Amino acid sequence: MIKFRDLLTEGTTERRINLMRVEAVLENLAHHLSEADQKKLAKTFVELHELACSLNETPQTIFNTEQWRLLNMVLAGKVAELRLIAEDIAEDNKEVDVWPLATALDTVLI
């Protein structure tokens, strides 16, 4: 016999946050940055990666909707923080093109 709990959790799909594109762009961008800028971007990216992993491990079900939404909002804030750091770096160094990083960060939230 099917239980009500099984029906509620059976049809849920887990959303996956993939940061491979952002990581590849950061690796290509690292050669053009100073060591201090690299450390700022790396520190923020590690925090973003940890949040993405915890969000990927948390299934979105009816029982933990609030927790999942909170993690999703924190992830969006961390993506915005990384984008602001990249824009600050672009203002300081006009030769560095951060457009690919901004585009990759936009695809994280889709």
Side-chain angles (χ1 to χ4, degrees), residues 9-106:
T9 58
E10 183 179 79
T12 60
T13 57
E14 296 178 13
R15 303 186 86 195
R16 298 289 178 217
I17 306 296
N18 190 357
L19 298 175
M20 293 300 292
R21 184 174 178 189
V22 176
E23 187 175 351
V25 170
L26 282 174
E27 287 176 3
N28 290 338
L29 193 63
H31 302 290
H32 306 289
L33 299 175
S34 67
E35 190 173 327
D37 291 338
Q38 287 178 5
K39 285 183 181 180
K40 279 194 276 186
L41 282 174
K43 179 183 174 217
T44 309
F45 179 74
V46 166
E47 293 171 358
L48 176 67
H49 190 272
E50 289 173 355
L51 281 170
C53 286
S54 85
L55 188 66
N56 286 340
E57 292 170 355
T58 305
Q60 184 181 10
T61 65
I62 192 170
F63 303 110
N64 65 350
T65 302
E66 295 301 319
Q67 177 190 7
W68 200 88
R69 285 183 185 167
L70 180 65
L71 281 172
N72 199 18
M73 285 191 303
V74 171
L75 180 85
K78 193 54 75 173
V79 168
E81 181 182 349
L82 187 61
R83 187 177 178 126
L84 286 174
I85 290 172
E87 289 174 0
D88 289 342
I89 290 171
E91 286 180 9
D92 295 341
N93 190 357
K94 299 293 182 186
E95 293 137 12
V96 177
D97 183 24
V98 296
W99 179 253
L101 180 60
T103 306
L105 287 171
D106 287 340

XYZ file of all heavy atoms in Angstrom, residues 9-106:
780
model
N 6.890 12.909 -1.513
C 8.318 13.021 -1.799
C 8.724 12.330 -3.090
O 9.830 12.542 -3.572
C 9.143 12.425 -0.645
O 8.776 11.067 -0.467
C 8.928 13.210 0.629
N 7.855 11.550 -3.680
C 8.208 10.775 -4.859
C 8.396 11.651 -6.094
O 9.324 11.471 -6.867
C 7.127 9.727 -5.137
C 7.445 8.827 -6.309
C 6.346 7.813 -6.503
O 5.314 8.172 -7.074
O 6.538 6.666 -6.069
N 7.529 12.611 -6.292
C 7.564 13.399 -7.513
C 8.476 14.606 -7.456
O 8.523 15.384 -8.393
N 9.190 14.777 -6.373
C 10.035 15.959 -6.269
C 11.306 15.769 -7.076
O 11.887 14.694 -7.141
C 10.414 16.242 -4.803
O 11.111 15.118 -4.291
C 9.192 16.532 -3.973
N 11.719 16.824 -7.695
C 12.983 16.809 -8.419
C 13.954 17.702 -7.678
O 13.604 18.795 -7.243
C 12.807 17.324 -9.855
O 12.251 18.639 -9.798
C 11.890 16.425 -10.651
N 15.152 17.251 -7.543
C 16.163 18.029 -6.855
C 16.811 18.981 -7.844
O 17.149 18.598 -8.953
C 17.211 17.098 -6.249
C 16.650 16.190 -5.189
C 17.698 15.247 -4.647
O 18.885 15.462 -4.901
O 17.313 14.287 -3.984
N 16.964 20.202 -7.452
C 17.613 21.183 -8.300
C 19.106 21.093 -8.065
O 19.572 21.014 -6.950
C 17.089 22.570 -7.973
C 15.573 22.631 -8.135
C 15.077 23.987 -7.954
N 15.183 24.638 -9.245
C 15.095 25.941 -9.419
N 14.906 26.718 -8.404
N 15.191 26.474 -10.606
N 19.837 21.118 -9.107
C 21.289 21.005 -9.020
C 21.944 22.309 -9.450
O 21.648 22.845 -10.511
C 21.795 19.871 -9.908
C 21.263 18.537 -9.503
C 21.896 18.099 -8.216
N 21.364 16.830 -7.794
C 21.149 16.524 -6.540
N 21.402 17.362 -5.587
N 20.680 15.362 -6.217
N 22.823 22.804 -8.615
C 23.602 23.994 -8.920
C 24.950 23.523 -9.444
O 25.680 22.818 -8.757
C 23.799 24.871 -7.659
C 22.468 25.209 -7.006
C 24.588 26.112 -7.994
C 21.541 26.040 -7.839
N 25.273 23.910 -10.662
C 26.516 23.489 -11.288
C 27.427 24.704 -11.436
O 27.069 25.679 -12.094
C 26.224 22.860 -12.655
C 27.436 22.192 -13.237
O 28.518 22.227 -12.665
N 27.256 21.571 -14.385
N 28.591 24.635 -10.825
C 29.536 25.751 -10.849
C 30.749 25.495 -11.742
O 31.730 26.219 -11.660
C 30.007 26.048 -9.423
C 28.928 26.483 -8.443
C 29.515 26.631 -7.053
C 28.294 27.777 -8.885
N 30.680 24.487 -12.591
C 31.834 24.145 -13.428
C 32.194 25.287 -14.383
O 33.367 25.569 -14.592
C 31.559 22.871 -14.221
C 31.439 21.634 -13.363
S 32.926 21.276 -12.411
C 34.027 20.831 -13.717
N 31.202 25.937 -14.950
C 31.481 27.031 -15.881
C 32.145 28.205 -15.163
O 33.093 28.801 -15.676
C 30.180 27.471 -16.543
C 30.356 28.521 -17.593
C 29.073 28.807 -18.317
N 29.294 29.853 -19.289
C 28.337 30.436 -19.948
N 27.088 30.052 -19.769
N 28.592 31.393 -20.799
N 31.657 28.531 -13.984
C 32.251 29.619 -13.203
C 33.683 29.276 -12.832
O 34.582 30.120 -12.922
C 31.408 29.896 -11.937
C 32.055 30.950 -11.063
C 30.000 30.307 -12.312
N 33.920 28.031 -12.444
C 35.268 27.596 -12.083
C 36.220 27.687 -13.275
O 37.356 28.152 -13.131
C 35.222 26.170 -11.562
C 36.521 25.668 -10.993
C 36.388 24.296 -10.372
O 35.269 23.789 -10.221
O 37.432 23.735 -10.017
N 35.759 27.294 -14.450
C 36.607 27.364 -15.650
C 36.937 28.810 -16.012
O 38.086 29.124 -16.362
C 35.907 26.679 -16.812
N 35.962 29.697 -15.891
C 36.205 31.107 -16.195
C 37.173 31.709 -15.184
O 38.064 32.496 -15.547
C 34.870 31.886 -16.241
C 35.103 33.373 -16.317
C 34.032 31.427 -17.423
N 37.021 31.349 -13.911
C 37.945 31.849 -12.885
C 39.370 31.374 -13.135
O 40.326 32.134 -12.919
C 37.482 31.425 -11.491
C 36.328 32.227 -10.897
C 35.883 31.604 -9.588
C 36.736 33.671 -10.682
N 39.533 30.135 -13.582
C 40.873 29.632 -13.888
C 41.495 30.403 -15.041
O 42.688 30.712 -15.012
C 40.818 28.145 -14.215
C 40.583 27.273 -13.014
C 40.438 25.801 -13.378
O 40.582 25.450 -14.569
O 40.174 25.008 -12.458
N 40.709 30.723 -16.062
C 41.231 31.491 -17.194
C 41.524 32.930 -16.804
O 42.446 33.546 -17.330
C 40.243 31.465 -18.359
C 40.151 30.106 -19.000
O 41.060 29.298 -18.888
N 39.036 29.855 -19.664
N 40.747 33.471 -15.904
C 40.892 34.858 -15.484
C 42.043 35.045 -14.500
O 42.601 36.141 -14.400
C 39.574 35.319 -14.851
C 39.344 36.781 -14.596
C 39.343 37.540 -15.907
C 38.026 36.973 -13.877
N 42.428 34.012 -13.808
C 43.434 34.107 -12.744
C 44.794 34.582 -13.255
O 45.529 35.252 -12.524
C 43.585 32.763 -12.047
N 45.123 34.283 -14.486
C 46.431 34.676 -15.020
C 46.559 36.188 -15.171
O 47.669 36.707 -15.183
C 46.665 34.015 -16.383
C 46.590 32.529 -16.323
N 47.548 31.767 -15.690
C 45.672 31.661 -16.809
C 47.224 30.496 -15.793
N 46.085 30.391 -16.464
N 45.440 36.884 -15.276
C 45.456 38.325 -15.507
C 45.271 39.145 -14.227
O 45.272 40.361 -14.292
C 44.343 38.697 -16.493
C 44.402 37.930 -17.767
N 45.375 38.129 -18.712
C 43.613 36.944 -18.248
C 45.181 37.321 -19.727
N 44.118 36.572 -19.472
N 45.133 38.495 -13.096
C 44.832 39.186 -11.848
C 46.038 39.221 -10.915
O 46.924 38.371 -10.990
C 43.672 38.492 -11.133
C 42.342 38.440 -11.869
C 41.345 37.610 -11.076
C 41.799 39.825 -12.105
N 46.006 40.183 -10.009
C 47.035 40.224 -8.976
C 46.745 39.142 -7.941
O 45.654 38.573 -7.898
C 47.057 41.602 -8.312
O 45.869 41.802 -7.587
N 47.710 38.892 -7.090
C 47.545 37.833 -6.089
C 46.448 38.178 -5.085
O 45.690 37.305 -4.658
C 48.872 37.592 -5.363
C 48.862 36.379 -4.486
C 50.233 36.065 -3.924
O 51.227 36.313 -4.612
O 50.271 35.570 -2.784
N 46.340 39.452 -4.715
C 45.298 39.857 -3.763
C 43.900 39.666 -4.357
O 42.981 39.197 -3.671
C 45.502 41.313 -3.370
N 43.746 40.024 -5.635
C 42.453 39.842 -6.294
C 42.116 38.363 -6.433
O 40.961 37.957 -6.290
C 42.448 40.511 -7.666
C 42.489 42.025 -7.577
O 42.114 42.563 -6.517
O 42.904 42.665 -8.566
N 43.119 37.557 -6.727
C 42.903 36.112 -6.823
C 42.419 35.543 -5.498
O 41.517 34.698 -5.471
C 44.182 35.400 -7.247
C 44.571 35.590 -8.679
C 45.877 34.890 -9.013
O 46.449 34.180 -8.186
N 46.363 35.110 -10.223
N 43.007 35.999 -4.399
C 42.604 35.507 -3.078
C 41.168 35.902 -2.750
O 40.411 35.100 -2.199
C 43.556 36.033 -2.003
C 44.890 35.341 -2.001
C 45.769 35.844 -0.890
C 47.117 35.142 -0.926
N 48.008 35.614 0.146
N 40.783 37.145 -3.092
C 39.412 37.585 -2.827
C 38.411 36.742 -3.608
O 37.408 36.279 -3.058
C 39.236 39.061 -3.215
C 39.719 40.045 -2.199
C 39.206 41.420 -2.500
C 40.106 42.086 -3.515
N 39.766 43.495 -3.759
N 38.689 36.541 -4.889
C 37.781 35.741 -5.717
C 37.746 34.286 -5.255
O 36.684 33.669 -5.211
C 38.198 35.812 -7.186
C 37.811 37.072 -7.948
C 38.412 37.057 -9.344
C 36.313 37.217 -8.026
N 38.912 33.746 -4.906
C 38.970 32.345 -4.487
C 38.218 32.131 -3.182
O 37.472 31.145 -3.035
C 40.420 31.903 -4.335
N 38.375 33.050 -2.236
C 37.689 32.913 -0.947
C 36.171 32.946 -1.133
O 35.449 32.109 -0.588
C 38.123 34.034 -0.009
C 37.445 33.992 1.335
C 37.849 35.172 2.190
C 37.022 35.153 3.458
N 36.658 36.479 3.891
N 35.696 33.877 -1.927
C 34.261 33.986 -2.163
C 33.742 32.789 -2.954
O 32.643 32.289 -2.690
C 33.938 35.293 -2.898
O 34.544 36.380 -2.196
C 32.451 35.526 -2.964
N 34.540 32.301 -3.916
C 34.102 31.145 -4.698
C 34.025 29.888 -3.836
O 33.111 29.078 -4.010
C 35.037 30.907 -5.888
C 34.636 29.717 -6.706
C 33.528 29.784 -7.529
C 35.333 28.536 -6.632
C 33.125 28.685 -8.276
C 34.952 27.431 -7.370
C 33.842 27.505 -8.192
N 34.946 29.726 -2.898
C 34.899 28.563 -2.011
C 33.639 28.601 -1.158
O 32.960 27.574 -0.974
C 36.179 28.492 -1.139
C 36.022 27.513 0.001
C 37.373 28.131 -1.996
N 33.289 29.770 -0.648
C 32.051 29.899 0.127
C 30.827 29.603 -0.742
O 29.891 28.933 -0.298
C 31.951 31.303 0.716
C 32.998 31.595 1.772
C 33.022 33.053 2.187
O 32.242 33.867 1.622
O 33.816 33.396 3.066
N 30.856 30.091 -1.996
C 29.761 29.815 -2.926
C 29.658 28.321 -3.224
O 28.568 27.759 -3.266
C 29.968 30.602 -4.219
C 28.971 30.365 -5.344
C 27.594 30.879 -4.957
C 29.451 31.020 -6.618
N 30.793 27.682 -3.384
C 30.811 26.242 -3.675
C 30.247 25.444 -2.500
O 29.494 24.484 -2.695
C 32.233 25.799 -4.005
C 32.314 24.414 -4.542
N 32.433 23.310 -3.731
C 32.269 23.946 -5.812
C 32.469 22.227 -4.470
N 32.371 22.585 -5.745
N 30.596 25.824 -1.274
C 30.062 25.136 -0.095
C 28.541 25.300 -0.002
O 27.828 24.337 0.314
C 30.720 25.682 1.172
C 32.173 25.283 1.320
C 32.862 25.968 2.485
O 32.238 26.837 3.138
O 34.027 25.637 2.725
N 28.048 26.501 -0.284
C 26.602 26.715 -0.274
C 25.911 25.904 -1.358
O 24.840 25.330 -1.130
C 26.291 28.200 -0.468
C 26.448 29.082 0.748
C 26.342 30.545 0.360
C 25.389 28.738 1.766
N 26.518 25.847 -2.540
C 25.925 25.080 -3.634
C 25.883 23.597 -3.283
O 24.896 22.915 -3.579
C 26.707 25.307 -4.923
N 26.929 23.102 -2.651
C 26.937 21.693 -2.249
C 25.857 21.405 -1.224
O 25.161 20.390 -1.310
C 28.305 21.296 -1.703
S 29.564 21.131 -2.963
N 25.686 22.297 -0.247
C 24.653 22.053 0.758
C 23.256 22.168 0.148
O 22.347 21.433 0.522
C 24.815 22.994 1.943
O 24.199 24.214 1.740
N 23.080 23.062 -0.833
C 21.787 23.168 -1.498
C 21.520 21.951 -2.371
O 20.392 21.460 -2.433
C 21.732 24.438 -2.341
C 20.385 24.789 -2.944
C 19.387 25.127 -1.847
C 20.512 25.955 -3.892
N 22.559 21.444 -3.015
C 22.395 20.246 -3.841
C 22.063 19.018 -2.998
O 21.358 18.123 -3.448
C 23.654 19.973 -4.655
C 23.799 20.945 -5.803
O 22.850 21.572 -6.227
N 25.013 21.075 -6.295
N 22.568 18.962 -1.782
C 22.313 17.821 -0.914
C 20.943 17.889 -0.247
O 20.443 16.877 0.232
C 23.394 17.737 0.162
C 24.758 17.384 -0.393
C 25.859 17.540 0.640
O 25.577 18.010 1.762
O 26.999 17.204 0.309
N 20.335 19.068 -0.219
C 19.045 19.239 0.431
C 17.940 19.055 -0.602
O 17.812 19.858 -1.518
C 18.927 20.653 1.039
O 20.023 20.870 1.919
C 17.624 20.817 1.786
N 17.154 18.002 -0.481
C 16.057 17.822 -1.432
C 14.949 18.842 -1.160
O 14.712 19.224 -0.017
C 15.576 16.402 -1.175
C 15.988 16.113 0.213
C 17.228 16.913 0.486
N 14.307 19.280 -2.208
C 13.212 20.225 -2.057
C 11.911 19.438 -1.917
O 11.406 18.872 -2.873
C 13.140 21.150 -3.264
C 12.085 22.212 -3.133
C 12.016 23.099 -4.354
O 12.630 22.821 -5.365
N 11.258 24.162 -4.266
N 11.420 19.376 -0.702
C 10.176 18.669 -0.426
C 9.222 19.605 0.293
O 9.583 20.722 0.679
C 10.412 17.423 0.450
O 10.888 17.854 1.733
C 11.403 16.470 -0.181
N 8.038 19.122 0.506
C 7.027 19.919 1.192
C 7.400 20.132 2.663
O 6.993 21.100 3.291
C 5.642 19.256 1.049
C 4.547 20.206 1.488
C 5.575 17.970 1.817
C 3.158 19.735 1.172
N 8.222 19.254 3.197
C 8.562 19.315 4.616
C 9.692 20.285 4.933
O 9.844 20.713 6.064
C 8.934 17.916 5.121
C 7.842 16.918 4.898
C 8.000 15.913 3.968
C 6.656 16.996 5.600
C 6.996 14.992 3.745
C 5.638 16.084 5.384
C 5.808 15.068 4.445
N 10.519 20.611 3.967
C 11.644 21.512 4.236
C 11.691 22.674 3.247
O 12.758 23.144 2.885
C 12.962 20.750 4.228
C 13.296 20.182 2.874
O 12.483 20.187 1.974
N 14.504 19.691 2.743
N 10.555 23.155 2.835
C 10.487 24.238 1.857
C 11.162 25.498 2.368
O 11.902 26.149 1.634
C 9.020 24.530 1.489
O 8.438 23.341 0.987
C 8.916 25.621 0.467
N 10.913 25.844 3.615
C 11.487 27.071 4.167
C 13.013 26.989 4.241
O 13.703 27.952 3.922
C 10.895 27.358 5.545
C 9.415 27.655 5.514
C 9.070 28.846 4.636
O 9.808 29.852 4.663
O 8.067 28.764 3.913
N 13.529 25.860 4.665
C 14.987 25.682 4.732
C 15.591 25.779 3.333
O 16.625 26.413 3.143
C 15.315 24.328 5.349
C 16.793 24.026 5.381
C 17.081 22.590 5.777
O 16.183 21.778 5.910
N 18.349 22.280 5.950
N 14.943 25.186 2.357
C 15.462 25.196 0.994
C 15.427 26.603 0.415
O 16.372 27.041 -0.242
C 14.633 24.238 0.136
C 15.357 23.838 -1.089
C 16.216 22.800 -1.238
C 15.279 24.483 -2.359
N 16.689 22.766 -2.515
C 16.125 23.779 -3.230
C 14.584 25.575 -2.842
C 16.295 24.145 -4.558
C 14.755 25.945 -4.160
C 15.597 25.226 -4.994
N 14.350 27.336 0.667
C 14.259 28.721 0.186
C 15.322 29.602 0.832
O 15.897 30.473 0.175
C 12.875 29.285 0.458
C 11.831 28.770 -0.468
C 10.508 29.416 -0.187
N 9.469 28.830 -1.012
C 8.188 29.023 -0.822
N 7.778 29.784 0.177
N 7.302 28.462 -1.611
N 15.567 29.404 2.117
C 16.593 30.174 2.802
C 17.967 29.903 2.206
O 18.736 30.841 1.945
C 16.586 29.845 4.297
C 17.613 30.584 5.149
C 17.317 32.077 5.145
C 17.617 30.041 6.559
N 18.294 28.645 1.972
C 19.571 28.309 1.337
C 19.668 28.907 -0.063
O 20.732 29.379 -0.470
C 19.746 26.784 1.264
C 20.185 26.078 2.524
C 20.125 24.571 2.328
C 21.580 26.499 2.920
N 18.569 28.912 -0.787
C 18.555 29.469 -2.125
C 18.802 30.984 -2.104
O 19.526 31.516 -2.946
C 17.223 29.154 -2.811
C 17.294 29.289 -4.299
O 18.367 29.296 -4.885
N 16.148 29.395 -4.924
N 18.218 31.675 -1.130
C 18.430 33.117 -1.010
C 19.872 33.431 -0.622
O 20.464 34.383 -1.136
C 17.472 33.717 0.018
C 16.063 33.845 -0.479
S 14.987 34.832 0.570
C 15.095 33.987 2.128
N 20.435 32.643 0.276
C 21.828 32.858 0.676
C 22.749 32.615 -0.510
O 23.713 33.354 -0.727
C 22.190 31.953 1.876
C 23.670 32.000 2.175
C 21.386 32.354 3.097
N 22.458 31.604 -1.310
C 23.246 31.324 -2.508
C 23.159 32.489 -3.492
O 24.182 32.897 -4.051
C 22.770 30.034 -3.175
C 23.534 29.661 -4.435
C 24.795 28.889 -4.057
C 22.683 28.860 -5.371
N 21.977 33.040 -3.683
C 21.822 34.185 -4.584
C 22.615 35.390 -4.079
O 23.223 36.120 -4.868
C 20.349 34.535 -4.733
N 22.638 35.585 -2.775
C 23.437 36.665 -2.193
C 24.922 36.464 -2.406
O 25.661 37.414 -2.695
N 25.378 35.223 -2.291
C 26.802 34.933 -2.483
C 27.194 35.115 -3.953
O 28.283 35.595 -4.260
C 27.111 33.519 -2.004
C 28.574 33.212 -1.861
C 29.310 34.176 -0.994
C 29.038 34.002 0.465
N 29.900 34.852 1.315
N 26.292 34.759 -4.872
C 26.548 34.985 -6.298
C 26.653 36.488 -6.572
O 27.543 36.937 -7.302
C 25.441 34.333 -7.163
C 25.518 34.797 -8.603
C 25.552 32.825 -7.099
N 25.768 37.264 -5.977
C 25.815 38.721 -6.144
C 27.099 39.300 -5.561
O 27.699 40.212 -6.140
C 24.594 39.357 -5.491
N 27.539 38.761 -4.430
C 28.790 39.227 -3.823
C 29.982 38.942 -4.727
O 30.846 39.805 -4.922
C 28.993 38.547 -2.467
C 30.249 38.977 -1.753
C 30.447 38.236 -0.435
O 29.524 37.547 0.032
O 31.562 38.349 0.110
N 30.023 37.758 -5.303
C 31.114 37.409 -6.219
C 31.089 38.303 -7.452
O 32.131 38.729 -7.943
C 31.020 35.934 -6.614
C 32.175 35.366 -7.427
C 33.480 35.459 -6.657
C 31.899 33.917 -7.792
N 29.902 38.610 -7.928
C 29.781 39.498 -9.095
C 30.262 40.914 -8.758
O 30.931 41.559 -9.567
C 28.347 39.509 -9.575
C 28.175 40.256 -10.868
C 26.749 40.195 -11.347
N 26.650 40.973 -12.550
C 26.171 40.540 -13.681
N 25.726 39.317 -13.767
N 26.100 41.314 -14.727
N 29.931 41.411 -7.568
C 30.394 42.737 -7.158
C 31.913 42.789 -7.024
O 32.544 43.787 -7.397
C 29.734 43.141 -5.842
C 28.269 43.535 -5.920
C 27.713 43.770 -4.527
C 28.100 44.772 -6.780
N 32.510 41.744 -6.502
C 33.966 41.691 -6.399
C 34.585 41.721 -7.788
O 35.572 42.425 -8.029
C 34.406 40.440 -5.609
C 34.029 40.584 -4.140
C 35.904 40.203 -5.748
C 34.237 39.339 -3.316
N 34.003 40.977 -8.725
C 34.512 40.970 -10.098
C 34.376 42.345 -10.745
O 35.283 42.798 -11.458
C 33.784 39.920 -10.916
N 33.279 43.035 -10.492
C 33.091 44.378 -11.044
C 34.082 45.365 -10.438
O 34.591 46.253 -11.133
C 31.660 44.841 -10.831
C 30.657 44.116 -11.696
C 29.225 44.478 -11.377
O 28.986 45.307 -10.464
O 28.337 43.924 -12.040
N 34.373 45.228 -9.140
C 35.382 46.089 -8.514
C 36.758 45.857 -9.129
O 37.519 46.798 -9.344
C 35.437 45.840 -7.003
C 34.218 46.381 -6.282
O 33.500 47.228 -6.863
O 33.981 45.948 -5.137
N 37.080 44.613 -9.398
C 38.357 44.290 -10.025
C 38.421 44.891 -11.429
O 39.446 45.427 -11.845
C 38.570 42.764 -10.059
C 38.815 42.248 -8.643
C 39.729 42.379 -10.976
C 38.818 40.747 -8.522
N 37.315 44.837 -12.152
C 37.273 45.400 -13.508
C 37.434 46.917 -13.489
O 38.041 47.488 -14.398
C 35.982 45.014 -14.193
N 36.899 47.578 -12.469
C 37.064 49.034 -12.362
C 38.504 49.406 -12.073
O 39.017 50.393 -12.593
C 36.156 49.587 -11.267
C 34.703 49.638 -11.648
C 33.847 50.193 -10.531
O 34.391 50.695 -9.529
O 32.614 50.110 -10.665
N 39.179 48.624 -11.229
C 40.565 48.910 -10.883
C 41.522 48.581 -12.019
O 42.531 49.254 -12.195
C 40.975 48.123 -9.629
C 40.203 48.576 -8.402
O 39.645 49.696 -8.426
O 40.150 47.806 -7.429
N 41.240 47.541 -12.760
C 42.123 47.072 -13.826
C 41.313 47.005 -15.119
O 40.563 46.064 -15.339
C 42.694 45.698 -13.467
C 43.787 45.269 -14.390
O 44.101 45.952 -15.351
N 44.356 44.123 -14.106
N 41.489 47.996 -15.983
C 40.688 48.084 -17.208
C 41.048 47.008 -18.229
O 40.288 46.730 -19.137
C 40.861 49.468 -17.854
C 40.404 50.608 -16.985
C 38.918 50.589 -16.789
C 38.495 51.771 -15.947
N 37.123 51.756 -15.588
N 42.212 46.378 -18.099
C 42.631 45.373 -19.073
C 41.997 44.008 -18.833
O 42.029 43.147 -19.698
C 44.154 45.234 -19.048
C 44.861 46.473 -19.547
C 46.046 46.833 -18.673
O 46.446 46.014 -17.847
O 46.560 47.935 -18.838
N 41.425 43.809 -17.657
C 40.829 42.518 -17.322
C 39.373 42.507 -17.774
O 38.598 43.393 -17.436
C 40.917 42.251 -15.804
C 40.228 40.956 -15.439
C 42.363 42.235 -15.365
N 39.012 41.500 -18.556
C 37.645 41.354 -19.042
C 36.905 40.367 -18.143
O 37.180 39.168 -18.154
C 37.662 40.845 -20.483
C 36.276 40.738 -21.069
O 35.376 41.446 -20.576
O 36.093 39.949 -22.016
N 35.966 40.885 -17.349
C 35.202 40.030 -16.437
C 33.825 39.691 -16.993
O 33.014 39.101 -16.297
C 35.062 40.669 -15.035
C 36.394 40.813 -14.364
C 34.339 41.986 -15.116
N 33.559 40.070 -18.232
C 32.264 39.773 -18.820
C 31.958 38.276 -18.840
O 30.839 37.872 -18.520
C 32.180 40.374 -20.218
C 30.887 40.095 -20.894
C 30.668 39.237 -21.925
C 29.612 40.643 -20.567
N 29.353 39.222 -22.271
C 28.677 40.077 -21.444
C 29.172 41.543 -19.616
C 27.328 40.399 -21.399
C 27.837 41.862 -19.582
C 26.927 41.292 -20.466
N 32.918 37.396 -19.198
C 32.609 35.959 -19.155
C 32.245 35.472 -17.748
O 31.380 34.606 -17.595
C 33.891 35.286 -19.653
C 34.587 36.330 -20.428
C 34.233 37.632 -19.791
N 32.887 36.040 -16.728
C 32.560 35.650 -15.351
C 31.153 36.105 -14.984
O 30.394 35.349 -14.372
C 33.586 36.222 -14.370
C 33.365 35.905 -12.899
C 33.381 34.404 -12.661
C 34.398 36.589 -12.041
N 30.789 37.318 -15.372
C 29.446 37.814 -15.087
C 28.390 36.957 -15.790
O 27.349 36.636 -15.211
C 29.323 39.272 -15.515
N 28.662 36.556 -17.012
C 27.728 35.702 -17.753
C 27.609 34.334 -17.097
O 26.506 33.788 -16.970
C 28.197 35.543 -19.209
O 28.381 36.843 -19.778
C 27.193 34.770 -20.027
N 28.744 33.774 -16.671
C 28.721 32.468 -16.006
C 27.963 32.546 -14.680
O 27.238 31.607 -14.322
C 30.139 31.965 -15.790
N 28.111 33.636 -13.956
C 27.397 33.785 -12.689
C 25.889 33.935 -12.913
O 25.088 33.487 -12.099
C 27.939 34.982 -11.903
C 29.307 34.776 -11.281
C 29.820 36.094 -10.736
C 29.273 33.726 -10.208
N 25.510 34.566 -14.016
C 24.089 34.686 -14.323
C 23.462 33.315 -14.598
O 22.292 33.104 -14.286
C 23.877 35.600 -15.528
C 24.118 37.061 -15.183
O 24.077 37.398 -13.976
O 24.333 37.862 -16.108
